[in-house]
Amino acid sequence: MKISNAYINNFSTISCAGNSNEELFSSICQKKNKISLDTNYVKDSVVAIGKIDSKTLFDDLVFQVCDNILEESNLKDFSNTLLVIGSSVGGMIKTEQIFFQDKTYENINYKEHPIDAVAYKLKQKYTFYDDISFSTACTSSANALGYAKEVIEKGIYKNVLVIGLDSLSYTTVCGFHALSVLSSKPCTPFERNREGMNVSEAIAALLVQNEKSSNESIEICGVGYSSDAHHMTQPQPEGLGANKAMSLAIENANIKKEDISYINAHGTGTYANDFSELNAISSLFSDCMPYVSSTKSITGHTLGAAGALEAAICCMAINKQIIPPSKDIKDLENEIIKISNEVINKDIKYVLSNSFAFGGNNVSLVFGCAK
């Protein structure tokens, strides 16, 4: 039984595309190149990565986005708020730093390594009612948002703080390099001649509540989950799992697929992921194609943070009535798809955001204007 709706009332983001919400959306709309070339992470290789432009420590940036939420919300503190973390690396960066410095694992604090290390750190500064952490690779914070929607709607919590975050780590960058999916230049999702993906870092915090707080509140209308379990690292080529997740999200939102104005695609820039997603979108929306773009062409792939970061982008797209563009697509692989290469001003009511991960774990979210 649905007791209440779930509304995103405030959000705060930091990424390579900007240290604020407005800077992030402006970078996307202006198609600014925020990806840098790096030779430090992979030996004898140049890889393009998305690094946050700040001298502040990553942990302190996490505190900063939480402080921003408190300052702009109707909360005095987080004592009656559930903390939901979505991350694929957790405290791995801290572990790497200690190991590279000491050449041993002996000085590593075991509480600062796992996925819930983020929650552990936050609880040193803030008081939360409870916390839970999700680690499902690139769908981590999308799953966290879906969970927030469910517990809000069931009346279990009134306030949920969802934080999606991942910092750049050698383990992650070198891991993707081993899979031969990294690009040596800014990624170009859905471009026929794309080279690969850009690993990036980001933090995105969203306050989800059972009542809307302003005219800019955005409702989490629907969530769809699927698992195609086709391959450990590659999606089902025809996009069957992605199609299922999108269909379920639209059904859960109690709308029609024709109501979707814009799809924020997973769009990583790798051949396997893009090919699968393009097939899924073209088959599901063959008779009512909405505009599609991948904002990862500006932000890079922020891994566990992607679902939350792109949820914030979707919120701004709805509030500004702007469809954000993709960047540098000259030869679209699938001509059925309606790619937005430039900023498009449009009446937007509902948007769909896709997050797909290793193991065929798929999450789609529908966002809409708060009623």
Side-chain angles (χ1 to χ4, degrees):
M1 179 179 177
K2 184 176 179 180
I3 296 175
S4 61
N5 294 335
Y7 300 100
I8 298 174
N9 286 328
N10 298 97
F11 54 88
S12 180
T13 64
I14 297 176
S15 68
C16 72
N19 292 336
S20 68
N21 300 334
E22 289 301 322
E23 188 179 355
L24 164 66
F25 201 73
S26 175
S27 293
I28 292 170
C29 290
Q30 295 179 38
K31 298 192 287 188
K32 290 184 178 179
N33 181 18
K34 293 292 187 174
I35 302 298
S36 57
L37 302 184
D38 186 272
T39 57
N40 296 315
Y41 281 91
V42 181
K43 185 178 180 180
D44 300 325
S45 294
V46 176
V47 295
I49 60 172
K51 191 170 182 61
I52 292 173
D53 184 15
S54 176
K55 295 181 180 180
T56 305
L57 295 175
F58 192 84
D59 287 348
D60 291 332
L61 291 176
V62 179
F63 294 147
Q64 181 179 311
V65 298
C66 290
D67 289 340
N68 289 344
I69 294 290
L70 278 179
E71 183 179 340
E72 298 173 8
S73 73
N74 55 1
L75 300 178
K76 293 182 179 179
D77 54 46
F78 292 125
S79 59
N80 64 346
T81 301
L82 172 68
L83 172 64
V84 185
I85 298 293
S87 176
S88 70
V89 304
M92 190 184 296
I93 184 67
K94 183 70 172 180
T95 297
E96 287 182 351
Q97 289 170 348
I98 294 173
F99 178 74
F100 291 150
Q101 176 181 306
D102 300 346
K103 308 301 181 184
T104 176
Y105 289 108
E106 292 180 0
N107 297 323
I108 294 170
N109 181 346
Y110 71 92
K111 292 184 178 181
E112 295 183 350
H113 173 76
I115 297 303
D116 64 356
V118 180
Y120 171 76
K121 280 286 186 69
L122 287 170
K123 288 186 291 185
Q124 309 303 305
K125 181 175 181 180
Y126 309 98
T127 299
F128 289 94
Y129 185 86
D130 203 352
D131 66 272
I132 185 171
S133 298
F134 286 83
S135 183
T136 53
C138 304
T139 56
S140 297
S141 56
N143 272 311
L145 279 166
Y147 182 79
K149 175 184 184 294
E150 292 174 26
V151 296
I152 288 285
E153 288 184 345
K154 293 175 181 177
I156 301 173
Y157 294 97
K158 294 182 178 180
N159 309 303
V160 180
L161 181 65
V162 174
I163 304 180
L165 75 169
D166 266 333
S167 56
L168 284 168
S169 76
Y170 285 88
T171 304
T172 304
V173 177
C174 291
F176 281 107
H177 176 72
L179 292 173
S180 300
V181 294
L182 293 185
S183 176
S184 61
K185 59 185 179 182
C187 68
T188 54
F190 306 139
E191 161 69 36
R192 192 181 302 275
N193 299 312
R194 60 195 178 277
E195 183 179 309
M197 62 178 280
N198 305 144
V199 179
S200 297
E201 59 184 354
I203 306 163
L206 301 98
L207 180 63
V208 186
Q209 297 179 291
N210 66 337
E211 295 180 352
K212 63 179 182 178
S213 64
S214 72
N215 291 331
E216 293 191 347
S217 297
I218 297 297
E219 182 180 353
I220 307 177
C221 303
V223 58
Y225 309 104
S226 75
S227 180
D228 55 53
H230 169 75
H231 185 272
M232 184 63 75
T233 60
Q234 294 189 16
Q236 202 279 336
E238 295 177 14
L240 300 182
N243 187 313
K244 185 68 173 178
M246 290 188 288
S247 299
L248 289 173
I250 292 169
E251 179 182 340
N252 184 238
N254 196 29
I255 62 174
K256 299 177 181 179
K257 60 183 181 179
E258 291 84 358
D259 295 323
I260 301 295
S261 302
Y262 165 62
I263 298 175
N264 183 285
H266 183 56
T268 62
T270 67
Y271 175 79
N273 281 332
D274 287 4
F275 182 79
S276 175
E277 186 173 15
L278 287 173
N279 284 337
I281 293 173
S282 61
S283 61
L284 181 59
F285 294 94
S286 59
D287 56 345
C288 57
M289 186 63 64
Y291 284 103
V292 179
S293 74
S294 172
T295 50
K296 289 183 178 70
S297 59
I298 300 298
T299 67
H301 191 354
T302 58
L303 308 180
L309 183 69
E310 289 165 25
I313 293 169
C314 289
C315 288
M316 288 187 279
I318 294 172
N319 280 325
K320 297 176 184 296
Q321 297 288 279
I322 287 176
I323 292 177
S326 282
K327 180 176 176 285
D328 291 339
I329 296 182
K330 298 176 182 177
D331 186 7
L332 181 63
E333 182 179 18
N334 187 323
E335 295 181 358
I336 298 175
I337 304 298
K338 189 191 292 184
I339 287 286
S340 59
N341 277 317
E342 302 295 336
V343 168
I344 297 172
N345 295 295
K346 181 176 173 59
D347 182 19
I348 304 172
K349 191 172 183 181
Y350 297 103
V351 303
L352 179 71
S353 185
N354 287 333
S355 295
F356 307 137
F358 286 164
N361 185 287
N362 308 300
V363 181
S364 294
L365 293 159
V366 173
F367 303 100
C369 299
K371 301 173 184 176

